[in-house]
Amino acid sequence: DAKTTQPTSMDCAEGRAANLPCNHSTISGNEYVYWYRQIHSQGPQYIIHGLKNNETNEMASLIITEDRKSSTLILPHATLRDTAVYYCIVRAPNTPLVFGKGTRLSVIA
Amino acid sequence: EAGVTQFPSHSVIEKGQTVTLRCDPISGHDNLYWYRRVMGKEIKFLLHFVKESKQDESGMPNNRFLAERTGGTYSTLKVQPAELEDSGVYFCASSQPLGGGNTEAFFGQGTRLTVV
């Protein structure tokens, strides 16, 4: 079973920042927080991951709270192509990803 | 660099037939995973290879499913005999070797299997 809780759906205006929350209150010390997304029926796409420090790459930023019980994925300037289901996953090293229901993000023009 | 490749992209077979799905991971990736998504449900883990060895096959639904990874390169997932409930999209993913730390897994585009 997924160890994370995410809102079912969110809307975001095009060009604005999309902030997707995730709760993972039972995360273990060796588990990382991963974010993936699935656009239509394509294969899941890796976005970003982190352990305890905030992370940023060309796609997004990941903000992890100090107690590591929750995190937020930030898409700084959402576009229509960012419409997808976003999955927050906690994962120990070299173990399979366990997908939950994710958050359906709709970017609106 | 080529990503994870899956063949075929679509397959329609009759109930009782056999189908074999293939996954070519990213070169050098020792970890290979199979997942499945049936309509309306979440993406479910099936099994995990480390090189040619099955590390975890706890998600395999039943003995009609057989996964192999001879030589630790590409992998096949055979369904024999196929049933209607096997319909769905089968995804394969790969990630770097154990010594590579906690690395991301990259997914293929999936094989859409329809059993009629």
mmCIF file of all heavy atoms in Angstrom, chain A residues 1 30 32 34 36 38 41-46 49 87 91-101, chain B residues 31 33 35 37 42-43 45 48 56 89 91 95-98 101-109 112:
data_model
loop_
_atom_site.group_PDB
_atom_site.id
_atom_site.type_symbol
_atom_site.label_atom_id
_atom_site.label_comp_id
_atom_site.label_asym_id
_atom_site.label_seq_id
_atom_site.Cartn_x
_atom_site.Cartn_y
_atom_site.Cartn_z
ATOM 1 N N ASP A 1 0.840 -1.187 0.000
ATOM 2 C CA ASP A 1 0.000 0.000 0.000
ATOM 3 C C ASP A 1 0.878 1.241 0.000
ATOM 4 O O ASP A 1 1.966 1.244 0.553
ATOM 5 C CB ASP A 1 -0.904 0.038 1.225
ATOM 6 C CG ASP A 1 -1.974 -1.039 1.163
ATOM 7 O OD1 ASP A 1 -2.294 -1.477 0.061
ATOM 8 O OD2 ASP A 1 -2.446 -1.433 2.229
ATOM 9 N N ASN A 30 15.557 5.878 6.061
ATOM 10 C CA ASN A 30 16.281 5.593 4.821
ATOM 11 C C ASN A 30 15.413 5.758 3.577
ATOM 12 O O ASN A 30 15.849 5.440 2.468
ATOM 13 C CB ASN A 30 16.850 4.177 4.853
ATOM 14 C CG ASN A 30 15.763 3.116 4.782
ATOM 15 O OD1 ASN A 30 14.616 3.367 5.166
ATOM 16 N ND2 ASN A 30 16.105 1.951 4.305
ATOM 17 N N TYR A 32 13.445 7.793 0.680
ATOM 18 C CA TYR A 32 13.461 9.027 -0.071
ATOM 19 C C TYR A 32 12.032 9.369 -0.502
ATOM 20 O O TYR A 32 11.171 8.497 -0.624
ATOM 21 C CB TYR A 32 14.323 8.874 -1.326
ATOM 22 C CG TYR A 32 15.812 8.855 -1.066
ATOM 23 C CD1 TYR A 32 16.415 7.818 -0.365
ATOM 24 C CD2 TYR A 32 16.625 9.876 -1.547
ATOM 25 C CE1 TYR A 32 17.775 7.801 -0.136
ATOM 26 C CE2 TYR A 32 17.992 9.860 -1.343
ATOM 27 C CZ TYR A 32 18.555 8.827 -0.629
ATOM 28 O OH TYR A 32 19.908 8.812 -0.416
ATOM 29 N N TYR A 34 9.982 10.563 -3.667
ATOM 30 C CA TYR A 34 10.044 10.644 -5.131
ATOM 31 C C TYR A 34 8.742 11.234 -5.664
ATOM 32 O O TYR A 34 7.667 11.009 -5.115
ATOM 33 C CB TYR A 34 10.193 9.242 -5.749
ATOM 34 C CG TYR A 34 11.584 8.687 -5.740
ATOM 35 C CD1 TYR A 34 12.141 8.159 -4.582
ATOM 36 C CD2 TYR A 34 12.344 8.668 -6.907
ATOM 37 C CE1 TYR A 34 13.433 7.647 -4.581
ATOM 38 C CE2 TYR A 34 13.627 8.147 -6.921
ATOM 39 C CZ TYR A 34 14.165 7.651 -5.750
ATOM 40 O OH TYR A 34 15.429 7.141 -5.753
ATOM 41 N N TYR A 36 6.715 11.393 -9.409
ATOM 42 C CA TYR A 36 6.564 11.001 -10.801
ATOM 43 C C TYR A 36 5.258 11.596 -11.307
ATOM 44 O O TYR A 36 4.385 11.963 -10.527
ATOM 45 C CB TYR A 36 6.492 9.473 -10.944
ATOM 46 C CG TYR A 36 7.825 8.782 -10.920
ATOM 47 C CD1 TYR A 36 8.519 8.592 -9.718
ATOM 48 C CD2 TYR A 36 8.411 8.297 -12.093
ATOM 49 C CE1 TYR A 36 9.746 7.950 -9.698
ATOM 50 C CE2 TYR A 36 9.639 7.662 -12.080
ATOM 51 C CZ TYR A 36 10.298 7.502 -10.880
ATOM 52 O OH TYR A 36 11.517 6.867 -10.866
ATOM 53 N N GLN A 38 2.226 11.019 -14.661
ATOM 54 C CA GLN A 38 1.797 10.244 -15.815
ATOM 55 C C GLN A 38 0.861 11.112 -16.643
ATOM 56 O O GLN A 38 -0.191 11.552 -16.150
ATOM 57 C CB GLN A 38 1.104 8.948 -15.401
ATOM 58 C CG GLN A 38 0.793 8.046 -16.576
ATOM 59 C CD GLN A 38 0.204 6.721 -16.181
ATOM 60 O OE1 GLN A 38 -0.489 6.616 -15.179
ATOM 61 N NE2 GLN A 38 0.457 5.693 -16.969
ATOM 62 N N SER A 41 -1.851 8.141 -21.007
ATOM 63 C CA SER A 41 -1.523 6.736 -20.749
ATOM 64 C C SER A 41 -0.045 6.452 -20.996
ATOM 65 O O SER A 41 0.341 5.297 -21.140
ATOM 66 C CB SER A 41 -2.375 5.847 -21.639
ATOM 67 O OG SER A 41 -3.738 6.008 -21.329
ATOM 68 N N GLN A 42 0.753 7.513 -21.010
ATOM 69 C CA GLN A 42 2.181 7.319 -21.219
ATOM 70 C C GLN A 42 2.816 6.668 -19.988
ATOM 71 O O GLN A 42 2.191 6.585 -18.924
ATOM 72 C CB GLN A 42 2.860 8.660 -21.493
ATOM 73 C CG GLN A 42 2.371 9.363 -22.738
ATOM 74 C CD GLN A 42 3.052 10.718 -22.907
ATOM 75 O OE1 GLN A 42 4.101 10.979 -22.330
ATOM 76 N NE2 GLN A 42 2.453 11.572 -23.702
ATOM 77 N N GLY A 43 4.058 6.242 -20.132
ATOM 78 C CA GLY A 43 4.764 5.698 -18.990
ATOM 79 C C GLY A 43 5.032 6.780 -17.962
ATOM 80 O O GLY A 43 5.208 7.956 -18.307
ATOM 81 N N PRO A 44 5.036 6.425 -16.672
ATOM 82 C CA PRO A 44 5.347 7.416 -15.639
ATOM 83 C C PRO A 44 6.686 8.096 -15.912
ATOM 84 O O PRO A 44 7.651 7.445 -16.324
ATOM 85 C CB PRO A 44 5.381 6.581 -14.362
ATOM 86 C CG PRO A 44 4.475 5.424 -14.653
ATOM 87 C CD PRO A 44 4.704 5.122 -16.109
ATOM 88 N N GLN A 45 6.715 9.384 -15.647
ATOM 89 C CA GLN A 45 7.909 10.189 -15.898
ATOM 90 C C GLN A 45 8.491 10.665 -14.575
ATOM 91 O O GLN A 45 7.788 11.258 -13.755
ATOM 92 C CB GLN A 45 7.552 11.387 -16.774
ATOM 93 C CG GLN A 45 8.723 12.325 -17.053
ATOM 94 C CD GLN A 45 8.284 13.604 -17.764
ATOM 95 O OE1 GLN A 45 7.119 13.996 -17.719
ATOM 96 N NE2 GLN A 45 9.211 14.242 -18.423
ATOM 97 N N TYR A 46 9.773 10.422 -14.387
ATOM 98 C CA TYR A 46 10.452 10.879 -13.185
ATOM 99 C C TYR A 46 10.522 12.399 -13.162
ATOM 100 O O TYR A 46 10.783 13.036 -14.196
ATOM 101 C CB TYR A 46 11.864 10.309 -13.140
ATOM 102 C CG TYR A 46 12.772 10.956 -12.116
ATOM 103 C CD1 TYR A 46 12.700 10.607 -10.775
ATOM 104 C CD2 TYR A 46 13.689 11.932 -12.501
ATOM 105 C CE1 TYR A 46 13.532 11.204 -9.839
ATOM 106 C CE2 TYR A 46 14.520 12.532 -11.574
ATOM 107 C CZ TYR A 46 14.436 12.168 -10.239
ATOM 108 O OH TYR A 46 15.259 12.769 -9.321
ATOM 109 N N HIS A 49 13.540 13.815 -6.775
ATOM 110 C CA HIS A 49 13.488 13.087 -5.507
ATOM 111 C C HIS A 49 14.438 13.732 -4.509
ATOM 112 O O HIS A 49 15.347 14.490 -4.897
ATOM 113 C CB HIS A 49 13.798 11.606 -5.680
ATOM 114 C CG HIS A 49 15.241 11.259 -5.902
ATOM 115 N ND1 HIS A 49 15.883 11.433 -7.114
ATOM 116 C CD2 HIS A 49 16.163 10.727 -5.059
ATOM 117 C CE1 HIS A 49 17.136 11.012 -7.009
ATOM 118 N NE2 HIS A 49 17.342 10.589 -5.791
ATOM 119 N N TYR A 87 2.354 11.673 -8.792
ATOM 120 C CA TYR A 87 2.469 10.681 -7.733
ATOM 121 C C TYR A 87 3.628 11.034 -6.799
ATOM 122 O O TYR A 87 4.751 11.256 -7.250
ATOM 123 C CB TYR A 87 2.735 9.298 -8.321
ATOM 124 C CG TYR A 87 1.643 8.780 -9.205
ATOM 125 C CD1 TYR A 87 1.710 8.944 -10.584
ATOM 126 C CD2 TYR A 87 0.539 8.127 -8.664
ATOM 127 C CE1 TYR A 87 0.705 8.466 -11.405
ATOM 128 C CE2 TYR A 87 -0.468 7.640 -9.482
ATOM 129 C CZ TYR A 87 -0.379 7.820 -10.846
ATOM 130 O OH TYR A 87 -1.375 7.338 -11.652
ATOM 131 N N ARG A 91 10.274 5.773 -0.863
ATOM 132 C CA ARG A 91 10.921 4.574 -1.361
ATOM 133 C C ARG A 91 12.286 4.392 -0.699
ATOM 134 O O ARG A 91 13.091 5.323 -0.677
ATOM 135 C CB ARG A 91 11.100 4.698 -2.878
ATOM 136 C CG ARG A 91 11.871 3.583 -3.553
ATOM 137 C CD ARG A 91 12.246 4.009 -4.948
ATOM 138 N NE ARG A 91 12.914 2.949 -5.697
ATOM 139 C CZ ARG A 91 13.796 3.172 -6.659
ATOM 140 N NH1 ARG A 91 14.100 4.401 -7.008
ATOM 141 N NH2 ARG A 91 14.352 2.165 -7.302
ATOM 142 N N ALA A 92 12.532 3.181 -0.200
ATOM 143 C CA ALA A 92 13.847 2.846 0.324
ATOM 144 C C ALA A 92 14.766 2.514 -0.847
ATOM 145 O O ALA A 92 14.282 2.153 -1.919
ATOM 146 C CB ALA A 92 13.744 1.668 1.288
ATOM 147 N N PRO A 93 16.071 2.621 -0.673
ATOM 148 C CA PRO A 93 16.992 2.337 -1.775
ATOM 149 C C PRO A 93 16.774 0.982 -2.416
ATOM 150 O O PRO A 93 16.569 -0.023 -1.729
ATOM 151 C CB PRO A 93 18.373 2.423 -1.110
ATOM 152 C CG PRO A 93 18.170 3.351 0.033
ATOM 153 C CD PRO A 93 16.783 3.075 0.536
ATOM 154 N N ASN A 94 16.810 0.972 -3.728
ATOM 155 C CA ASN A 94 16.730 -0.248 -4.532
ATOM 156 C C ASN A 94 15.502 -1.102 -4.239
ATOM 157 O O ASN A 94 15.563 -2.335 -4.287
ATOM 158 C CB ASN A 94 18.003 -1.082 -4.355
ATOM 159 C CG ASN A 94 19.216 -0.338 -4.884
ATOM 160 O OD1 ASN A 94 19.293 0.003 -6.048
ATOM 161 N ND2 ASN A 94 20.161 -0.057 -4.006
ATOM 162 N N THR A 95 14.413 -0.457 -3.931
ATOM 163 C CA THR A 95 13.139 -1.153 -3.760
ATOM 164 C C THR A 95 12.170 -0.634 -4.813
ATOM 165 O O THR A 95 12.384 0.440 -5.379
ATOM 166 C CB THR A 95 12.540 -0.943 -2.361
ATOM 167 O OG1 THR A 95 12.288 0.449 -2.164
ATOM 168 C CG2 THR A 95 13.471 -1.459 -1.278
ATOM 169 N N PRO A 96 11.119 -1.376 -5.102
ATOM 170 C CA PRO A 96 10.174 -0.901 -6.118
ATOM 171 C C PRO A 96 9.409 0.346 -5.692
ATOM 172 O O PRO A 96 9.193 0.585 -4.507
ATOM 173 C CB PRO A 96 9.209 -2.087 -6.259
ATOM 174 C CG PRO A 96 9.910 -3.255 -5.679
ATOM 175 C CD PRO A 96 10.793 -2.720 -4.607
ATOM 176 N N LEU A 97 9.012 1.119 -6.665
ATOM 177 C CA LEU A 97 8.106 2.228 -6.416
ATOM 178 C C LEU A 97 6.709 1.683 -6.162
ATOM 179 O O LEU A 97 6.268 0.770 -6.853
ATOM 180 C CB LEU A 97 8.073 3.154 -7.639
ATOM 181 C CG LEU A 97 9.387 3.865 -7.981
ATOM 182 C CD1 LEU A 97 9.379 4.312 -9.437
ATOM 183 C CD2 LEU A 97 9.609 5.036 -7.060
ATOM 184 N N VAL A 98 6.035 2.234 -5.177
ATOM 185 C CA VAL A 98 4.658 1.843 -4.889
ATOM 186 C C VAL A 98 3.767 3.047 -5.172
ATOM 187 O O VAL A 98 3.856 4.074 -4.480
ATOM 188 C CB VAL A 98 4.483 1.384 -3.427
ATOM 189 C CG1 VAL A 98 3.014 1.042 -3.151
ATOM 190 C CG2 VAL A 98 5.374 0.178 -3.139
ATOM 191 N N PHE A 99 2.941 2.919 -6.192
ATOM 192 C CA PHE A 99 2.104 4.034 -6.627
ATOM 193 C C PHE A 99 0.786 4.042 -5.866
ATOM 194 O O PHE A 99 0.165 3.003 -5.677
ATOM 195 C CB PHE A 99 1.814 3.923 -8.125
ATOM 196 C CG PHE A 99 2.991 4.205 -9.000
ATOM 197 C CD1 PHE A 99 3.923 3.224 -9.275
ATOM 198 C CD2 PHE A 99 3.174 5.470 -9.557
ATOM 199 C CE1 PHE A 99 5.026 3.479 -10.079
ATOM 200 C CE2 PHE A 99 4.267 5.732 -10.369
ATOM 201 C CZ PHE A 99 5.191 4.743 -10.629
ATOM 202 N N GLY A 100 0.361 5.238 -5.499
ATOM 203 C CA GLY A 100 -0.966 5.437 -4.947
ATOM 204 C C GLY A 100 -1.884 5.979 -6.018
ATOM 205 O O GLY A 100 -1.689 5.711 -7.204
ATOM 206 N N LYS A 101 -2.872 6.734 -5.587
ATOM 207 C CA LYS A 101 -3.831 7.302 -6.541
ATOM 208 C C LYS A 101 -3.342 8.604 -7.155
ATOM 209 O O LYS A 101 -3.794 9.007 -8.212
ATOM 210 C CB LYS A 101 -5.171 7.520 -5.855
ATOM 211 C CG LYS A 101 -5.881 6.241 -5.447
ATOM 212 C CD LYS A 101 -7.221 6.540 -4.792
ATOM 213 C CE LYS A 101 -8.044 5.265 -4.616
ATOM 214 N NZ LYS A 101 -7.343 4.238 -3.825
ATOM 215 N N ASN B 31 18.811 -3.005 -12.321
ATOM 216 C CA ASN B 31 17.463 -3.155 -11.769
ATOM 217 C C ASN B 31 16.432 -3.027 -12.874
ATOM 218 O O ASN B 31 16.461 -2.073 -13.667
ATOM 219 C CB ASN B 31 17.183 -2.072 -10.724
ATOM 220 C CG ASN B 31 18.023 -2.253 -9.476
ATOM 221 O OD1 ASN B 31 18.049 -3.309 -8.879
ATOM 222 N ND2 ASN B 31 18.722 -1.203 -9.071
ATOM 223 N N TYR B 33 12.114 -3.514 -13.446
ATOM 224 C CA TYR B 33 10.829 -3.673 -12.769
ATOM 225 C C TYR B 33 9.715 -3.826 -13.794
ATOM 226 O O TYR B 33 9.734 -3.188 -14.842
ATOM 227 C CB TYR B 33 10.519 -2.447 -11.906
ATOM 228 C CG TYR B 33 11.606 -2.041 -10.938
ATOM 229 C CD1 TYR B 33 12.626 -1.185 -11.324
ATOM 230 C CD2 TYR B 33 11.592 -2.486 -9.618
ATOM 231 C CE1 TYR B 33 13.620 -0.797 -10.433
ATOM 232 C CE2 TYR B 33 12.583 -2.102 -8.713
ATOM 233 C CZ TYR B 33 13.588 -1.253 -9.137
ATOM 234 O OH TYR B 33 14.568 -0.869 -8.248
ATOM 235 N N TYR B 35 5.482 -3.433 -14.013
ATOM 236 C CA TYR B 35 4.279 -2.905 -13.380
ATOM 237 C C TYR B 35 3.093 -3.135 -14.313
ATOM 238 O O TYR B 35 3.256 -3.348 -15.503
ATOM 239 C CB TYR B 35 4.404 -1.395 -13.137
ATOM 240 C CG TYR B 35 5.398 -0.997 -12.085
ATOM 241 C CD1 TYR B 35 6.755 -0.899 -12.379
ATOM 242 C CD2 TYR B 35 4.989 -0.697 -10.791
ATOM 243 C CE1 TYR B 35 7.673 -0.527 -11.402
ATOM 244 C CE2 TYR B 35 5.901 -0.316 -9.804
ATOM 245 C CZ TYR B 35 7.240 -0.228 -10.130
ATOM 246 O OH TYR B 35 8.144 0.148 -9.168
ATOM 247 N N ARG B 37 -1.073 -1.642 -15.026
ATOM 248 C CA ARG B 37 -2.203 -0.785 -14.681
ATOM 249 C C ARG B 37 -3.437 -1.304 -15.408
ATOM 250 O O ARG B 37 -3.490 -1.273 -16.632
ATOM 251 C CB ARG B 37 -1.971 0.663 -15.062
ATOM 252 C CG ARG B 37 -3.122 1.571 -14.634
ATOM 253 C CD ARG B 37 -2.808 3.022 -14.771
ATOM 254 N NE ARG B 37 -3.711 3.825 -13.951
ATOM 255 C CZ ARG B 37 -3.532 5.112 -13.691
ATOM 256 N NH1 ARG B 37 -2.486 5.742 -14.182
ATOM 257 N NH2 ARG B 37 -4.391 5.767 -12.934
ATOM 258 N N GLU B 42 -4.957 1.600 -9.798
ATOM 259 C CA GLU B 42 -3.638 2.189 -9.650
ATOM 260 C C GLU B 42 -2.577 1.350 -10.364
ATOM 261 O O GLU B 42 -2.797 0.184 -10.662
ATOM 262 C CB GLU B 42 -3.299 2.297 -8.161
ATOM 263 C CG GLU B 42 -4.253 3.194 -7.399
ATOM 264 C CD GLU B 42 -4.254 2.911 -5.909
ATOM 265 O OE1 GLU B 42 -3.247 2.378 -5.411
ATOM 266 O OE2 GLU B 42 -5.248 3.233 -5.246
ATOM 267 N N ILE B 43 -1.440 1.951 -10.588
ATOM 268 C CA ILE B 43 -0.298 1.230 -11.137
ATOM 269 C C ILE B 43 0.212 0.274 -10.053
ATOM 270 O O ILE B 43 0.530 0.694 -8.942
ATOM 271 C CB ILE B 43 0.820 2.200 -11.542
ATOM 272 C CG1 ILE B 43 0.309 3.173 -12.613
ATOM 273 C CG2 ILE B 43 2.039 1.435 -12.054
ATOM 274 C CD1 ILE B 43 1.283 4.312 -12.924
ATOM 275 N N PHE B 45 2.841 -2.828 -8.808
ATOM 276 C CA PHE B 45 4.123 -3.502 -8.972
ATOM 277 C C PHE B 45 3.906 -4.988 -9.203
ATOM 278 O O PHE B 45 3.060 -5.611 -8.549
ATOM 279 C CB PHE B 45 4.959 -3.281 -7.710
ATOM 280 C CG PHE B 45 6.134 -4.205 -7.559
ATOM 281 C CD1 PHE B 45 7.277 -4.014 -8.320
ATOM 282 C CD2 PHE B 45 6.093 -5.254 -6.661
ATOM 283 C CE1 PHE B 45 8.362 -4.853 -8.174
ATOM 284 C CE2 PHE B 45 7.183 -6.092 -6.507
ATOM 285 C CZ PHE B 45 8.322 -5.892 -7.267
ATOM 286 N N HIS B 48 10.575 -7.476 -9.575
ATOM 287 C CA HIS B 48 11.821 -6.735 -9.637
ATOM 288 C C HIS B 48 12.964 -7.711 -9.896
ATOM 289 O O HIS B 48 13.126 -8.687 -9.160
ATOM 290 C CB HIS B 48 12.018 -6.002 -8.298
ATOM 291 C CG HIS B 48 13.357 -5.374 -8.096
ATOM 292 N ND1 HIS B 48 13.858 -5.084 -6.845
ATOM 293 C CD2 HIS B 48 14.310 -4.957 -8.976
ATOM 294 C CE1 HIS B 48 15.045 -4.512 -6.949
ATOM 295 N NE2 HIS B 48 15.342 -4.439 -8.242
ATOM 296 N N ASP B 56 12.269 -9.664 -6.156
ATOM 297 C CA ASP B 56 10.957 -9.552 -5.490
ATOM 298 C C ASP B 56 9.906 -9.829 -6.543
ATOM 299 O O ASP B 56 9.820 -9.097 -7.531
ATOM 300 C CB ASP B 56 10.792 -8.147 -4.895
ATOM 301 C CG ASP B 56 9.460 -7.927 -4.201
ATOM 302 O OD1 ASP B 56 8.591 -8.823 -4.231
ATOM 303 O OD2 ASP B 56 9.283 -6.849 -3.611
ATOM 304 N N VAL B 89 -2.353 -2.023 -19.126
ATOM 305 C CA VAL B 89 -1.094 -1.522 -19.668
ATOM 306 C C VAL B 89 0.038 -2.027 -18.773
ATOM 307 O O VAL B 89 0.007 -1.832 -17.553
ATOM 308 C CB VAL B 89 -1.071 0.013 -19.730
ATOM 309 C CG1 VAL B 89 0.245 0.484 -20.360
ATOM 310 C CG2 VAL B 89 -2.259 0.539 -20.531
ATOM 311 N N PHE B 91 3.891 -1.836 -17.790
ATOM 312 C CA PHE B 91 5.045 -0.938 -17.853
ATOM 313 C C PHE B 91 6.286 -1.644 -17.336
ATOM 314 O O PHE B 91 6.227 -2.444 -16.409
ATOM 315 C CB PHE B 91 4.812 0.305 -16.992
ATOM 316 C CG PHE B 91 3.733 1.216 -17.487
ATOM 317 C CD1 PHE B 91 2.504 1.282 -16.837
ATOM 318 C CD2 PHE B 91 3.940 2.018 -18.597
ATOM 319 C CE1 PHE B 91 1.509 2.129 -17.289
ATOM 320 C CE2 PHE B 91 2.946 2.868 -19.057
ATOM 321 C CZ PHE B 91 1.725 2.919 -18.397
ATOM 322 N N SER B 95 16.609 0.917 -13.429
ATOM 323 C CA SER B 95 17.395 1.899 -12.690
ATOM 324 C C SER B 95 18.827 1.386 -12.564
ATOM 325 O O SER B 95 19.119 0.221 -12.824
ATOM 326 C CB SER B 95 16.794 2.178 -11.306
ATOM 327 O OG SER B 95 16.856 1.036 -10.475
ATOM 328 N N GLN B 96 19.698 2.285 -12.143
ATOM 329 C CA GLN B 96 21.129 1.980 -12.094
ATOM 330 C C GLN B 96 21.442 0.892 -11.073
ATOM 331 O O GLN B 96 20.621 0.578 -10.220
ATOM 332 C CB GLN B 96 21.898 3.263 -11.775
ATOM 333 C CG GLN B 96 21.932 4.230 -12.940
ATOM 334 C CD GLN B 96 22.734 5.469 -12.619
ATOM 335 O OE1 GLN B 96 22.934 5.807 -11.458
ATOM 336 N NE2 GLN B 96 23.200 6.154 -13.646
ATOM 337 N N PRO B 97 22.663 0.361 -11.152
ATOM 338 C CA PRO B 97 23.053 -0.742 -10.277
ATOM 339 C C PRO B 97 22.991 -0.384 -8.805
ATOM 340 O O PRO B 97 22.897 0.774 -8.426
ATOM 341 C CB PRO B 97 24.498 -1.030 -10.689
ATOM 342 C CG PRO B 97 24.615 -0.493 -12.056
ATOM 343 C CD PRO B 97 23.693 0.677 -12.123
ATOM 344 N N LEU B 98 23.084 -1.414 -7.982
ATOM 345 C CA LEU B 98 22.981 -1.253 -6.539
ATOM 346 C C LEU B 98 23.965 -0.220 -6.017
ATOM 347 O O LEU B 98 23.650 0.564 -5.142
ATOM 348 C CB LEU B 98 23.238 -2.596 -5.849
ATOM 349 C CG LEU B 98 22.179 -3.679 -6.067
ATOM 350 C CD1 LEU B 98 22.678 -5.002 -5.541
ATOM 351 C CD2 LEU B 98 20.887 -3.276 -5.405
ATOM 352 N N GLY B 101 23.484 3.983 -5.561
ATOM 353 C CA GLY B 101 22.727 4.733 -4.567
ATOM 354 C C GLY B 101 21.241 4.724 -4.860
ATOM 355 O O GLY B 101 20.728 3.859 -5.546
ATOM 356 N N ASN B 102 20.561 5.719 -4.355
ATOM 357 C CA ASN B 102 19.111 5.768 -4.521
ATOM 358 C C ASN B 102 18.803 6.523 -5.798
ATOM 359 O O ASN B 102 18.615 7.727 -5.787
ATOM 360 C CB ASN B 102 18.468 6.426 -3.311
ATOM 361 C CG ASN B 102 17.024 6.020 -3.179
ATOM 362 O OD1 ASN B 102 16.323 5.850 -4.160
ATOM 363 N ND2 ASN B 102 16.577 5.850 -1.959
ATOM 364 N N THR B 103 18.754 5.837 -6.887
ATOM 365 C CA THR B 103 18.597 6.491 -8.177
ATOM 366 C C THR B 103 17.183 6.315 -8.701
ATOM 367 O O THR B 103 16.460 5.412 -8.306
ATOM 368 C CB THR B 103 19.589 5.918 -9.190
ATOM 369 O OG1 THR B 103 19.375 4.512 -9.281
ATOM 370 C CG2 THR B 103 21.016 6.190 -8.758
ATOM 371 N N GLU B 104 16.849 7.182 -9.634
ATOM 372 C CA GLU B 104 15.509 7.166 -10.180
ATOM 373 C C GLU B 104 15.337 6.009 -11.151
ATOM 374 O O GLU B 104 16.277 5.555 -11.768
ATOM 375 C CB GLU B 104 15.194 8.498 -10.868
ATOM 376 C CG GLU B 104 16.101 8.834 -12.034
ATOM 377 C CD GLU B 104 17.311 9.650 -11.588
ATOM 378 O OE1 GLU B 104 17.810 9.438 -10.466
ATOM 379 O OE2 GLU B 104 17.767 10.473 -12.397
ATOM 380 N N ALA B 105 14.096 5.535 -11.258
ATOM 381 C CA ALA B 105 13.746 4.515 -12.225
ATOM 382 C C ALA B 105 13.090 5.192 -13.419
ATOM 383 O O ALA B 105 12.287 6.102 -13.276
ATOM 384 C CB ALA B 105 12.784 3.505 -11.603
ATOM 385 N N PHE B 106 13.473 4.734 -14.600
ATOM 386 C CA PHE B 106 12.936 5.276 -15.844
ATOM 387 C C PHE B 106 11.991 4.260 -16.458
ATOM 388 O O PHE B 106 12.316 3.074 -16.544
ATOM 389 C CB PHE B 106 14.069 5.601 -16.817
ATOM 390 C CG PHE B 106 14.991 6.678 -16.303
ATOM 391 C CD1 PHE B 106 16.140 6.344 -15.610
ATOM 392 C CD2 PHE B 106 14.700 8.018 -16.505
ATOM 393 C CE1 PHE B 106 16.987 7.338 -15.111
ATOM 394 C CE2 PHE B 106 15.539 9.014 -16.027
ATOM 395 C CZ PHE B 106 16.679 8.673 -15.327
ATOM 396 N N PHE B 107 10.862 4.745 -16.917
ATOM 397 C CA PHE B 107 9.820 3.871 -17.424
ATOM 398 C C PHE B 107 9.762 3.875 -18.947
ATOM 399 O O PHE B 107 10.066 4.879 -19.605
ATOM 400 C CB PHE B 107 8.450 4.328 -16.901
ATOM 401 C CG PHE B 107 8.194 3.938 -15.478
ATOM 402 C CD1 PHE B 107 8.781 4.634 -14.442
ATOM 403 C CD2 PHE B 107 7.374 2.858 -15.175
ATOM 404 C CE1 PHE B 107 8.555 4.279 -13.117
ATOM 405 C CE2 PHE B 107 7.133 2.496 -13.863
ATOM 406 C CZ PHE B 107 7.723 3.203 -12.833
ATOM 407 N N GLY B 108 9.342 2.717 -19.474
ATOM 408 C CA GLY B 108 9.018 2.639 -20.887
ATOM 409 C C GLY B 108 7.609 3.165 -21.124
ATOM 410 O O GLY B 108 6.904 3.560 -20.193
ATOM 411 N N GLN B 109 7.222 3.147 -22.390
ATOM 412 C CA GLN B 109 5.904 3.686 -22.757
ATOM 413 C C GLN B 109 4.782 2.673 -22.565
ATOM 414 O O GLN B 109 3.620 3.016 -22.735
ATOM 415 C CB GLN B 109 5.922 4.189 -24.201
ATOM 416 C CG GLN B 109 6.753 5.439 -24.368
ATOM 417 C CD GLN B 109 6.308 6.553 -23.420
ATOM 418 O OE1 GLN B 109 5.177 7.024 -23.473
ATOM 419 N NE2 GLN B 109 7.183 6.963 -22.510
ATOM 420 N N ARG B 112 0.077 -2.012 -24.207
ATOM 421 C CA ARG B 112 -1.346 -2.099 -23.907
ATOM 422 C C ARG B 112 -1.845 -3.468 -24.357
ATOM 423 O O ARG B 112 -1.844 -3.773 -25.550
ATOM 424 C CB ARG B 112 -2.123 -0.990 -24.621
ATOM 425 C CG ARG B 112 -3.628 -1.030 -24.326
ATOM 426 C CD ARG B 112 -4.339 0.156 -24.950
ATOM 427 N NE ARG B 112 -3.889 1.413 -24.368
ATOM 428 C CZ ARG B 112 -4.341 1.930 -23.233
ATOM 429 N NH1 ARG B 112 -5.266 1.299 -22.534
ATOM 430 N NH2 ARG B 112 -3.876 3.082 -22.800
#
